[in-house]
Amino acid sequence: MHHRTSRRTLLTATAATAVAAVTGVGIAPGALAAQRSASSGQHYSAATTKRLKRIISGMSLEEKVGQLFVMRVYGHSATDPDQADIDANMAEIGVRTAAEMIDRYHVGGIIYFAWAHNTRDPHQIAELSNGIQRAGLAGPTPLPLLVSTDQEHGIVCRVGEPATLMPGAMALGAGGSRSDARRAGQIAGAELAAIGINQNYAPDADVNVNPANPVIGVRSFGSDPQSVAAMVAAQVKGYQSSGIASTAKHFPGHGDTSTDSHTGLPVITHTREQWAELDEPPFRAAIAAGIDSIMTAHIVVPALDPAEDPATLSHPILTGILREELGYDGVVVTDSLGMEGVRTKYGDDRVPVLALKAGVDQLLNPPSLDVSWNAVLEAVKSGEISEARIDESILRILRLKTKLGLFDNPFVSRAGVDRTVGTRAHLAAADRIAERTTTLLANDGAVLPLSRRSHKSLLVVGADPASPSGTTGPPTTTLATAFGELGHAATALSTGTAPTSAKIAEAVAAAQGKDAVVVATYNVSATSSQRTLVRALAATGVPVITVAIRNPYDIAQLAGTGFAANLATYSWTDVELRAAARVIAGRAEPQGTLPVPVQRADDPSKVLHPVGYGLTY
């Protein structure tokens, strides 16, 4: 048994080397200019630009304003949703259906959510997408829509089984394979395109250097900016090779926050030099890879904007840095305008106006479409925003729609769904990729792999968080089922993320007579009763294997509890859990290595396991 430490950690990188790598210092000026030109978006013919400008000139001001918005809507159908969804639409938007919203507000895009009942199954999603496109083409100026969703995979997934679910970003970072990252994006993109989703808000380009980050964590590829940059570029190429728009997020970098921008306004204290070293490389790599859209972050970075406006509303950040310094001329989309991070300083009527003035093109999911839409309309009428300014954004949006072929044919077919979504080849590829991400961090006494002869009877206990997509899990059952298919006799017992004394006693009783216990842990803290559960189970003398099903930092908090082995899966979707079961049972080798360092719980200034650490059999 041996460990690998092939990846360098942030601590070993010198600022001088990193800044040179990401700012172009040492590159000839002509070469840098060429790089910027090549990476500033798609090259469109003069004829295409002329045609799109002609369309824009024929649009009413109301239609132009609508093109800037991407909005949620409830229901599985564009014209005939369930009554509960009609009621929700009336309460939040003042319309009954998606088609009515498109007719009234001329929105340029719609975002799908599982909680909005948009994503029941692939055929339903495809028909919803077609209904949305029909509504767009029925307007005064017939225009197709950008249909988007957050399909990062891993812990953020809106479209679930029977679509193929891939390992998430940090899992892919643990695998370390650019080809796997690209292949995952290619498969995911093809399946999204087949169901009519043409803009995906992925990959996450944040560099997660803060283990306490409550909103990014395993959504990031890791803590090393150059490794993250390489994986981001690979995913961008994978997604966009399948004919959909990819979105790098959250600019200028959300990886070092301890506040969730959904509920507060994070402040990033990086200096300009630290930002260039840590946060910039993945976005520069995404631009170089031809990224179609970039999403903003609701964060304050005083070193980048002394006015301390959220980046979403910051002209120095979005126009000064993203547009002018990085040379990006693709679509810029806000993160959701319903998040608290962008609403703490300004009212909902000012936020969309300020975002457009900062350099944004698409305004995503405002809390009140009517308030935001009318605020932008009034800002243009009053001259606060020129019509020429919004025409710039509309041209970018229509160029993207052109690139995606939406003006030629925005519709999808049932046959295309059946031919593409959740195919045997795609599912097999997901399983193979997942196997290469599972990370073994401890294996005391070489208890793993478990033999069916010596460790036939297994108990699986632990946390059962809700499925990211609503279609998989629960984790303990998934693991037990996978062990059963591998020849073990496995029983599942859900003990939760905060097991009670009674539940711990039940688990200890259930462990009697078992050959091993597998415990699924979920973000274990210093005071978590998950630690008590592991200690109590280890005290029975039965070997305990802990599996961190979200953040890989659990092993530090479990020190001294007596577990025999520890693995990290970086998510609790079925594909990652099945891979972990195969590794535990010896049907696959553990190949993943840590893409983030794990600090010691008793002294966070010291590293327990560095980036690149991982055991093999």
Side-chain angles (χ1 to χ4, degrees):
M1 189 183 345
H2 35 272
H3 71 267
R4 302 179 296 279
T5 54
S6 57
R7 291 200 191 97
R8 67 174 176 81
T9 68
L10 285 173
L11 300 175
T12 61
T14 65
T17 302
V19 170
V22 301
T23 62
V25 174
I27 300 175
L32 183 58
Q35 173 188 321
R36 283 183 176 173
S37 174
S39 65
S40 62
Q42 302 300 317
H43 296 282
Y44 297 92
S45 69
T48 295
T49 299
K50 185 177 181 181
R51 177 174 63 85
L52 295 179
K53 286 184 174 179
R54 189 163 59 244
I55 292 173
I56 294 169
S57 68
M59 295 167 65
S60 68
L61 181 57
E62 289 77 9
E63 287 178 297
K64 289 182 177 182
V65 169
Q67 277 299 297
L68 305 172
F69 284 93
V70 180
M71 188 62 183
R72 69 190 178 279
V73 66
Y74 291 85
H76 70 286
S77 164
T79 56
D80 189 27
D82 295 339
Q83 186 61 48
D85 292 323
I86 292 174
D87 295 342
N89 286 329
M90 288 298 296
E92 294 186 19
I93 313 171
V95 298
R96 297 174 68 257
T97 67
E100 288 182 14
M101 181 175 71
I102 294 165
D103 178 61
R104 179 180 299 183
Y105 293 102
H106 316 292
V107 295
I110 284 182
I111 180 172
Y112 288 170
F113 292 103
W115 53 258
H117 309 138
N118 304 140
T119 56
R120 289 182 180 176
D121 65 75
H123 285 126
Q124 167 268 316
I125 299 169
E127 184 49 45
L128 172 61
S129 300
N130 285 341
I132 285 168
Q133 299 295 359
R134 283 191 290 268
L137 297 180
T141 304
L143 292 171
L145 279 84
L146 287 168
V147 178
S148 61
T149 199
D150 292 283
Q151 190 79 348
E152 297 176 20
H153 292 268
I155 72 166
V156 176
C157 218
R158 313 301 188 205
V159 179
E161 293 182 346
T164 305
L165 298 181
M166 287 287 174
M170 192 170 285
L172 291 170
S177 167
R178 297 183 197 183
S179 62
D180 278 353
R182 181 167 183 162
R183 179 62 175 149
Q186 188 177 45
I187 290 171
E191 297 199 7
L192 290 176
I195 57 178
I197 295 174
N198 45 53
Q199 184 177 20
N200 189 21
Y201 298 138
D204 191 300
D206 302 310
V207 181
N208 199 77
V209 295
N210 186 343
N213 195 321
V215 65
I216 304 301
V218 293
R219 297 169 63 191
S220 163
F221 288 103
S223 64
D224 180 281
Q226 301 304 327
S227 297
V228 172
M231 300 300 277
V232 165
Q235 284 246 283
V236 168
K237 291 174 182 176
Y239 282 123
Q240 295 189 176
S241 70
S242 294
I244 67 166
S246 180
T247 309
K249 60 187 186 186
H250 307 80
F251 190 83
H254 210 315
D256 192 10
T257 60
S258 55
T259 301
D260 186 343
S261 52
H262 291 84
T263 56
L265 180 57
V267 177
I268 306 289
T269 58
H270 292 177
T271 65
R272 180 62 189 255
E273 292 73 24
Q274 287 173 326
W275 175 80
E277 176 189 349
L278 296 173
D279 301 298
E280 182 187 11
F283 293 101
R284 185 180 286 279
I287 294 168
I291 188 76
D292 283 327
S293 50
I294 290 177
M295 179 179 284
T296 67
H298 305 326
I299 57 173
V300 168
V301 190
L304 304 185
D305 182 359
E308 299 194 8
D309 280 331
T312 297
L313 311 180
S314 170
H315 189 274
I317 291 175
L318 298 187
T319 296
I321 295 176
L322 182 57
R323 295 284 192 209
E324 295 172 0
E325 290 185 26
L326 298 185
Y328 177 66
D329 193 38
V331 170
V332 173
V333 56
T334 70
D335 205 344
S336 170
L337 297 183
M339 293 166 60
E340 195 60 31
V342 79
R343 303 173 74 189
T344 57
K345 194 171 180 180
Y346 302 99
D348 291 341
D349 59 333
R350 292 302 297 159
V351 165
V353 174
L354 295 173
L356 291 169
K357 293 173 75 171
V360 157
D361 302 306
Q362 289 186 304
L363 301 162
L364 177 63
N365 200 30
S368 169
L369 178 59
D370 193 67
V371 167
S372 296
W373 189 89
N374 279 295
V376 173
L377 185 66
E378 183 54 38
V380 179
K381 286 181 176 179
S382 71
E384 182 180 3
I385 299 176
S386 70
E387 194 163 350
R389 164 65 192 89
I390 66 169
D391 285 355
E392 290 176 15
S393 286
I394 296 165
L395 180 58
R396 289 191 189 101
I397 293 165
L398 296 188
R399 278 174 168 170
L400 180 53
K401 293 179 179 182
T402 299
K403 181 205 169 190
L404 298 176
L406 299 179
F407 282 100
D408 298 326
N409 179 20
F411 301 107
V412 293
S413 67
R414 289 183 68 88
V417 172
D418 293 337
R419 195 167 49 241
T420 309
V421 178
T423 64
R424 184 176 299 177
H426 286 179
L427 295 172
D431 280 334
R432 288 194 299 272
I433 292 170
E435 279 183 2
R436 293 190 280 270
T437 70
T438 305
T439 308
L440 180 63
L441 297 177
N443 191 14
D444 297 343
V447 67
L448 297 183
L450 298 181
S451 162
R452 281 178 296 173
R453 291 185 297 275
S454 59
H455 296 87
K456 175 76 172 178
S457 180
L458 306 180
L459 173 67
V460 181
V461 304
D464 275 333
S467 167
S469 65
T471 61
T472 63
T476 55
T477 301
T478 299
L479 281 168
T481 301
F483 285 125
E485 292 171 352
L486 295 170
H488 295 267
T491 304
L493 172 63
S494 178
T495 51
T497 55
T500 63
S501 297
K503 189 59 73 172
I504 292 171
E506 183 181 353
V508 167
Q512 302 302 318
K514 302 297 183 184
D515 298 317
V517 180
V518 177
V519 184
T521 65
Y522 183 96
N523 290 4
V524 180
S525 67
T527 58
S528 174
S529 58
Q530 293 181 73
R531 298 173 75 247
T532 310
L533 171 68
V534 173
R535 183 179 290 108
L537 287 167
T540 66
V542 178
V544 174
I545 297 101
T546 56
V547 182
I549 61 174
R550 186 163 177 167
N551 291 333
Y553 312 114
D554 288 2
I555 187 171
Q557 296 293 348
L558 294 173
T561 58
F563 65 84
N566 174 277
L567 302 93
T569 65
Y570 311 97
S571 181
W572 61 96
T573 49
D574 289 8
V575 67
E576 280 127 329
L577 297 176
R578 287 195 304 267
R582 290 194 294 276
V583 169
I584 291 169
R587 302 301 181 88
E589 289 281 330
Q591 298 182 52
T593 61
L594 282 173
V596 292
V598 174
Q599 278 89 16
R600 284 174 48 171
D602 59 347
D603 185 355
S605 67
K606 296 181 179 177
V607 173
L608 176 65
H609 295 307
V611 169
Y613 182 89
L615 304 178
T616 57
Y617 293 152

